[in-house]
Amino acid sequence: MKTNYIQSLFAAFLCAAACAGFTACESDTIETSGGKKPDQEALQNVYGKLRSGATAGNTVSVLLAEGEGSGISTFYFQQTKPAADAVTLAARGDASLADAYNEAEEVERTVLPAQNYEFPDGASLDLAKDAQRSVYKRIRFLASGLTPGEYVLPLTVAEEGMPDDAKTLYYNITVRLPQVGDIELHKGDDLFFVFYINTDQYQPLLVDEYFMQKKKARGATEPLWYNLIGNIINLRTVRLDHQAESGRAILSLGDDMTYVLGQAVKYIRPLQDKGRKVCISIEGAGSGLGFCNLTDVQIADFTAQVKTVVDTYQLDGINLWDRNSGYGKEGMPAMNTTSYPKLIKSLREALGAERLLTLTVYDRPTETFHDVDACGGIAVGDYIDYAWSGYNSNEEAPQLLDPWHPTETYVSAYNQKPIANLPAERFGCINFPIYPRAKSEEEAMMYEPEFLMDWVDMGYKPNNIIVFADLRTNLQDEYEGYWDGMLNVHCEYMDETSQIYMGSRSGYTYLFDLNRGLGDYPEKGGYGKWLKNWK
C-alpha cells in the first residue's frame, strides 16, 4: 500500500489532465508479465478504481496548519472500459477501514472526524453511458478543532461491509504546529520586500537566512527592529509551454519545481508560517506561445491548470512575468493586445480575492496596459494586487521605472505608462539587480543607486515596495562579499526617513545579515547550505 510520493507525483499530473490540463492522458499504465497466457474471463470484466487528482496511488498526503488551516484535494472514478449504462456512485468516509490500514502501514493514525471534511461539489460520482471516468470532485479538509498529529480518512465507493482498496482512497492528514521561529518577519511598514528565488539552483529555505536591522544612524546602540525580511516570495521557474500535438498551452512546472511543491511541508510551509506569501512566478518557455497570443480556449485551459496547482499545494498566489516566450516563431499566432488582459482577468476570477495575483512589467507584453480599449475593455489594474518593474539586468545600472514622472532625468530609459486603475501605491518602481563584485571603479559607480536620493526627497516614491532579483549566495562570482553592502544602501535610499546620506543625525541606517550557520559548510566553499539538495 505504500507508495513512492515523488515518483507518483509526476504520474498523478499525467492522469489529472481532464481537470487540470497539464498534459493528455487517455489511458492508465498497463503492467504486463511474460510466460503466462492472459485470463480471458478477466479481460472481459470491467474494473473500476477511485482515483486521486494528486497522486497515482491510493494514499494521499494532506498537510494542515493547526487552527483554521484547510486544504483541498480532488478525486474521480475511472473504469477499464466504457460504462454500458449510466452509473452513480456515492463517495463516503468509512472509519471501519482505518484499523486495517493502520496495521498494514505500521502507524497509528486517528480517524478524521466527520466535521473536518466536506464535499463542495457533492459526493456523487456520475459515470455517463459509454464514458470511462467521472468528472473531478473536491474534498475539503478543515483543521478547526484538531490537535497537531496524524489523522486518516478512508474515502470509499465500495459497498457497505465490502472493503476494496481499488475503490478506496486513504487520506493521510498531518496537522502541524506553525514554525514561526524566534525572530519575526518585518511587516513592511517602512520597506516591503519582494524576493525571487530560482529553485533550479537553491532551496526556497535560503529566504530564511535573510535578516536585516534598522537603527539610528548615530548614537544608537539598539536597533529599532531586527527582523526576517521577504514579504512576498516568488518561486521560479514555471513556464507557459506549448504542446504541439494538441495545441494546448501547458503549465510546465519542470523537475525542480515539481520536487519543491511535492515537498511543500519542508520547503514552503516554514516560509508561510512566518507570514510570508509564497507564489510561483510564471514566464515563457521560448516556444512562440506566450501570454500575448492565446486563444480563449487556451486561456480557460491554462487557468484551470494554474488553479489546480495553487489549490493543491496551498500556495498564496502567482506572479506573471511574460519574458522568454519567443514570439514570432513560424506557425505561431502573432502577438495581440487582448490576450494577456483576458488571461489576467480569467486567473483573478478563478483564484479569487484571497490569492495574490501580481504582475511584472516587462517590454512589449505590458506596454498597452494603460489603454483599456486596446486591452479589450479590461482595466488590468482591477484584477491584480501589485505590479513592479522587471528591468533588473546586473549588466546595467539599476533602472527606475516611474510611470507617473517619466521625464525626470533619473528615470529609466525603459517606458511604462500607468497601468489602468492600478493605484500608484501598489506599483514597485525599481527591481534591484544583485551585482557581482565590481572589477573596476567605473563598474562600481554604475551599481550605485544615488539617483534615488532626489526621487525620494521630491516625494515621488509612491510606496515602500523594494524588489530584488533572484536571491543568491557567493557561490556565483563572489556575489555576497559585494552585494551585502549594496542591499543595505538600496534600503537606506528607499526609506524616506533614512537621511543618513544627507548628513542628518536623526536618520536611519540598515544592516543586512545573511545569517546563521552558512559558514558551517567549508567543504562547499562556506555557503552551500541552501543549494538544492535533489537531482
Side-chain angles (χ1 to χ4, degrees), residues 476-511:
Q476 305 104 336
D477 312 316
E478 297 183 89
Y479 271 69
E480 189 209 320
Y482 185 71
W483 59 259
D484 276 10
M486 288 299 297
L487 195 151
N488 302 342
V489 171
H490 294 167
C491 293
E492 289 171 6
Y493 289 173
M494 282 289 288
D495 183 351
E496 62 267 23
T497 67
S498 182
Q499 302 294 314
I500 184 172
Y501 49 82
M502 298 293 291
S504 170
R505 292 182 177 273
S506 62
Y508 301 96
T509 185
Y510 287 87
L511 178 63

Side-chain angles (χ1 to χ4, degrees), residues 377-409:
I378 297 172
V380 171
D382 289 340
Y383 299 95
I384 59 177
D385 295 288
Y386 297 97
W388 47 72
S389 169
Y391 298 103
N392 62 358
S393 170
N394 60 18
E395 295 181 356
E396 63 183 8
Q399 301 297 305
L400 176 56
L401 191 69
D402 185 347
W404 296 273
H405 306 95
T407 61
E408 299 290 347
T409 56

Side-chain angles (χ1 to χ4, degrees), residues 68-362:
E68 299 304 315
S70 66
I72 290 179
S73 188
T74 57
F75 62 95
Y76 63 100
F77 189 76
Q78 184 175 31
Q79 291 191 167
T80 55
K81 294 182 180 179
D85 297 293
V87 177
T88 297
L89 300 169
R92 69 184 194 283
D94 190 342
S96 68
L97 302 177
D99 288 343
Y101 174 74
N102 282 339
E103 183 178 353
E105 292 283 301
E106 299 180 347
V107 297
E108 193 58 45
R109 295 186 177 92
T110 303
V111 176
L112 188 71
Q115 65 266 27
N116 289 101
Y117 63 93
E118 60 188 18
F119 301 95
D121 312 311
S124 295
L125 295 166
D126 299 315
L127 201 64
K129 182 179 178 180
D130 297 326
Q132 282 188 253
R133 70 165 71 195
S134 70
V135 299
Y136 280 65
K137 292 296 180 75
R138 293 177 294 165
I139 180 171
R140 177 183 286 119
F141 299 96
L142 309 168
S144 180
L146 297 178
T147 58
E150 300 292 328
Y151 298 83
V152 62
L153 173 66
L155 183 72
T156 188
V157 294
E159 295 181 26
E160 192 76 35
M162 300 286 289
D164 186 344
D165 278 352
K167 296 180 180 179
T168 304
L169 292 172
Y170 295 90
Y171 289 93
N172 295 332
I173 300 102
T174 300
V175 179
R176 55 185 285 277
L177 288 169
Q179 301 175 26
V180 296
D182 299 328
I183 301 178
E184 293 183 354
L185 177 69
H186 186 55
K187 302 305 181 186
D189 47 359
D190 44 7
L191 288 177
F192 186 89
F193 293 89
V194 179
F195 289 158
Y196 285 83
I197 187 163
N198 190 345
T199 61
D200 296 352
Q201 297 175 325
Y202 287 107
Q203 303 173 43
L205 296 178
L206 173 61
V207 175
D208 260 349
E209 301 288 357
Y210 279 69
F211 290 77
M212 178 169 278
Q213 73 172 16
K214 178 181 179 179
K215 63 185 296 186
K216 284 273 189 178
R218 292 182 172 88
T221 57
E222 295 296 326
L224 277 75
W225 53 259
Y226 179 65
N227 294 141
L228 288 165
I229 55 175
N231 303 94
I232 297 176
I233 310 301
N234 295 310
L235 304 181
R236 300 182 51 237
T237 303
V238 177
R239 297 178 174 89
L240 186 160
D241 207 347
H242 178 245
Q243 189 177 68
E245 300 81 8
S246 64
R248 296 173 62 206
I250 297 295
L251 183 68
S252 176
L253 298 177
D255 292 342
D256 294 306
M257 188 64 72
T258 297
Y259 184 85
V260 166
L261 295 179
Q263 298 291 314
V265 64
K266 177 178 180 181
Y267 296 115
I268 295 176
R269 300 294 174 258
L271 305 181
Q272 293 174 319
D273 286 344
K274 298 174 181 69
R276 294 185 172 100
K277 301 298 185 182
V278 179
C279 307
I280 52 172
S281 181
I282 308 172
E283 57 187 70
S287 66
L289 186 70
F291 303 169
C292 293
N293 59 353
L294 297 170
T295 66
D296 291 350
V297 172
Q298 288 171 325
I299 287 172
D301 183 9
F302 189 74
T303 296
Q305 297 172 56
V306 172
K307 177 174 171 53
T308 297
V309 168
V310 170
D311 286 348
T312 299
Y313 298 108
Q314 301 176 45
L315 299 169
D316 295 298
I318 62 170
N319 168 248
L320 300 176
W321 190 340
D322 193 353
R323 58 177 176 176
N324 304 321
S325 291
Y327 293 119
K329 289 196 173 182
E330 184 177 354
M332 287 297 181
M335 294 176 67
N336 65 75
T337 61
T338 60
S339 169
Y340 201 172
K342 285 182 179 180
L343 175 64
I344 290 170
K345 183 174 184 289
S346 177
L347 287 166
R348 168 54 74 205
E349 292 171 349
L351 296 176
E354 68 275 11
R355 309 282 193 182
L356 283 177
L357 177 52
T358 64
L359 172 73
T360 303
V361 168
Y362 190 72

